[in-house]
Amino acid sequence: MSLLTVLLQLSTLVSTENTSSSLSSSSSLTSKSSSPSSSSKMHTPETRTLATFVESVNCRNDDINLALDLSLKPRDLNSLGGSFNINCQSWIELTIPDDVRTTVEIPFATPNQFPNNGPPSLMMTINGRYAGDSGVQMDTGSTGITIGKGTWVQWFNGNWSEAVKYERGWKFLSSSKKLYSGHWVPTTLIFHGKSKDGTRTDLLKAVVPVLVFDTYYICPKFTNDQGSVCTAPTDQKTGNVTGLYMGVGFGREQDGMVMCTPDKNPLLNIYEVNGQNVMGPNNTTKYHLGYIVRSNSIVWGLTSTNINGFRWVSLQKQPNATDYRDWAMANLQVSINNGKFRNGSILADTGITQMYLSSPDVPKPIPPSYKINLKVPDVQGSLAGYIVTAKRAGGNATAESSIPGTAPAYVGATNTAGIVSGPGGGVYERVFVNTGSRFWNGFEAAFDAAGGHWGVLKKTDS
């Protein structure tokens, strides 16, 4: 794409959006986008359009230093000369109107378990049956609720003869090589809290298809074209298999979860909040669809108050996305042993305590110690930069981190030089980091499902 083409398209975007009230004739697109003077600080469609487009032409690259007077019309560009600058940083300021106030904090059912010793859990009722005080495991590394046939029938009042009438489906977990095969059964869910006297309360209600599986594989060589059947399993169980967990992650389709689209995410399909229906065109309840993961709770519904302090990056749409909530994983840059920084994807995963690293720069063979420098989203505009030192002594793998508490239990590393990785054909020489759950000792993370942003808040010592 030529510079003139970029300028033409940018100017066309501006001129068709009536930006006179929100963008000055000589303003530059910066990390802190200009806001209206009202207290709402609306992140306007105009600035969001520009931010998304500028990132799509790889504004993060040092060699792209675009120049644009936003008052120009396309016909004026033919006579342009000289240099014009857009001060383009990798992070933006997300603002939400002050009258959008609907938010619910859901406490984790098992205090002190997450993030050091395992995934968090939420108190839930599924298909009319309470799952128990220990809760349902919540995983940001996958999408959708997964329930074994035995658990569904024996605990959640499920009817298997009815379940098989629904679409056959599957979910593959790339880190553990587990393939679940079953049926997507529409189900009502309730998220619970507790009042001061210990009484269970209803916070959120949703209806989503849940994957009720009757077959479970260990499938090391899974590809998406295998679908619900593993062609070369190393282990397999069928029948009244048991199990239960909930995925609330985004951007997971490319990792073997092609069916795990936003319509399967319980937190994106809420119809009732604190007893009030929030669906329908005449609904007066205002909410911003998204959620924040903290070390002791998850917060549904973003507001101008609960996003205070977060810094945000724009997300790209999933390839061939048909759902406005369908966003790809956030970007990062990673350097190994002081080598060059490579572009890749980051998954902040609540489901595991270890870190997984894929890069063509992973040392071969793995040395006793090596450093992994993480920059989210990149070196120029790091929101969450820290260094993990992976160590190995004999058969014992450990790790250290430059931010206390964020060191994973260990690092599992894969050198992707010269190979195509990923269950769907993947990405050539893939660069990918799964942080593991201890990321949340140093940060909070937020997903803006409505606008397509991922936010990070670095915790303080106080």
Side-chain angles (χ1 to χ4, degrees):
M1 180 181 293
S2 68
L3 176 60
L4 180 58
T5 302
V6 172
L7 291 172
L8 279 167
Q9 294 191 30
L10 278 171
S11 186
T12 301
L13 282 169
V14 174
S15 63
T16 58
E17 289 285 355
N18 187 22
T19 62
S20 60
S21 63
S22 59
L23 296 174
S24 68
S25 62
S26 60
S27 63
S28 62
L29 185 63
T30 66
S31 60
K32 292 185 178 294
S33 303
S34 299
S35 300
S37 58
S38 70
S39 61
S40 68
K41 292 185 178 180
M42 171 63 80
H43 188 97
T44 65
E46 295 88 349
T47 55
R48 180 172 294 162
T49 299
L50 285 171
T52 301
F53 185 82
V54 170
E55 289 203 346
S56 75
V57 296
N58 204 7
C59 182
R60 297 189 182 107
N61 286 352
D62 291 336
D63 58 344
I64 294 183
N65 189 20
L66 294 178
L68 180 64
D69 180 340
L70 295 180
S71 66
L72 293 173
K73 301 297 186 289
R75 64 179 179 272
D76 299 324
L77 292 170
N78 292 327
S79 60
L80 281 176
S83 177
F84 301 82
N85 292 324
I86 290 182
N87 180 19
C88 203
Q89 293 190 16
S90 310
W91 61 277
I92 63 173
E93 180 181 3
L94 177 68
T95 49
I96 295 175
D98 288 344
D99 62 347
V100 177
R101 299 171 183 169
T102 303
T103 185
V104 174
E105 184 171 12
I106 311 171
F108 292 150
T110 51
N112 303 319
Q113 175 174 305
F114 177 77
N116 290 326
N117 303 308
S121 298
L122 299 177
M123 292 181 292
M124 297 181 66
T125 290
I126 300 174
N127 201 38
R129 179 74 183 270
Y130 181 52
D133 289 343
S134 59
V136 177
Q137 288 188 358
M138 188 197 81
D139 177 29
T140 55
S142 62
T143 305
I145 289 186
T146 305
I147 305 177
K149 174 185 174 182
T151 306
W152 178 250
V153 173
Q154 297 165 21
W155 187 259
F156 291 114
N157 306 316
N159 185 318
W160 182 247
S161 62
E162 289 296 319
V164 298
K165 297 178 182 179
Y166 292 98
E167 178 186 17
R168 189 80 191 181
W170 71 91
K171 179 189 296 186
F172 177 71
L173 304 185
S174 58
S175 59
S176 59
K177 309 303 180 185
K178 295 177 181 178
L179 174 63
Y180 298 96
S181 177
H183 296 270
W184 291 105
V185 183
T187 305
T188 299
L189 315 171
I190 305 175
F191 294 87
H192 297 294
K194 280 191 176 181
S195 61
K196 292 182 179 179
D197 63 3
T199 303
R200 192 167 71 243
T201 59
D202 295 352
L203 300 178
L204 303 173
K205 292 184 180 181
V207 174
V208 291
V210 303
L211 183 63
V212 181
F213 67 94
D214 61 335
T215 306
Y216 158 87
Y217 304 93
I218 299 296
C219 195
K221 297 182 179 181
F222 176 80
T223 56
N224 283 327
D225 56 4
Q226 295 180 49
S228 61
V229 179
C230 179
T231 58
T234 58
D235 188 20
Q236 178 178 347
K237 295 179 181 179
T238 59
N240 289 322
V241 288
T242 59
L244 169 64
Y245 80 95
M246 175 178 62
V248 298
F250 65 93
R252 307 305 298 128
E253 288 103 308
Q254 66 267 46
D255 267 350
M257 288 179 259
V258 294
M259 305 187 83
C260 295
T261 43
D263 60 301
K264 311 296 197 314
N265 187 335
L267 294 177
L268 299 188
N269 295 277
I270 300 298
Y271 73 88
E272 185 175 294
V273 179
N274 290 328
Q276 292 191 336
N277 192 296
V278 295
M279 302 296 290
N282 298 320
N283 171 57
T284 59
T285 302
K286 295 182 179 181
Y287 66 91
H288 189 103
L289 188 61
Y291 43 90
I292 301 169
V293 179
R294 298 172 174 169
S295 58
N296 58 359
S297 66
I298 187 166
V299 178
W300 182 89
L302 305 182
T303 69
S304 60
T305 300
N306 64 30
I307 68 167
N308 186 37
F310 279 85
R311 292 170 67 187
W312 301 83
V313 292
S314 293
L315 302 173
Q316 299 297 321
K317 283 287 188 183
Q318 285 279 31
N320 305 314
T322 58
D323 190 313
Y324 78 97
R325 306 164 297 178
D326 200 2
W327 304 100
M329 287 185 289
N331 294 328
L332 93 162
Q333 288 187 333
V334 57
S335 166
I336 299 175
N337 281 341
N338 299 316
K340 72 175 182 178
F341 279 90
R342 292 184 184 267
N343 295 316
S345 300
I346 182 172
L347 168 62
D349 191 349
T350 61
I352 56 175
T353 57
Q354 67 270 30
M355 171 182 283
Y356 287 109
L357 167 69
S358 297
S359 170
D361 299 327
V362 169
K364 293 178 68 175
I366 299 292
S369 177
Y370 63 98
K371 293 186 180 296
I372 307 160
N373 194 342
L374 308 172
K375 299 291 186 182
V376 183
D378 53 36
V379 175
Q380 287 77 26
S382 180
L383 312 182
Y386 62 112
I387 298 173
V388 171
T389 302
K391 295 187 174 185
R392 183 177 296 275
N396 185 30
T398 59
E400 297 177 352
S401 176
S402 61
I403 297 181
T406 61
Y410 63 89
V411 177
T414 302
N415 184 295
T416 58
I419 65 172
V420 175
S421 61
V427 179
Y428 187 68
E429 296 194 332
R430 185 186 193 195
V431 178
F432 168 73
V433 175
N434 181 330
T435 66
S437 62
R438 293 174 185 173
F439 172 89
W440 272 274
N441 279 323
F443 305 94
E444 295 182 1
F447 174 45
D448 167 23
H453 302 96
W454 192 62
V456 177
L457 172 67
K458 186 175 181 180
K459 293 183 178 180
T460 62
D461 295 332
S462 59

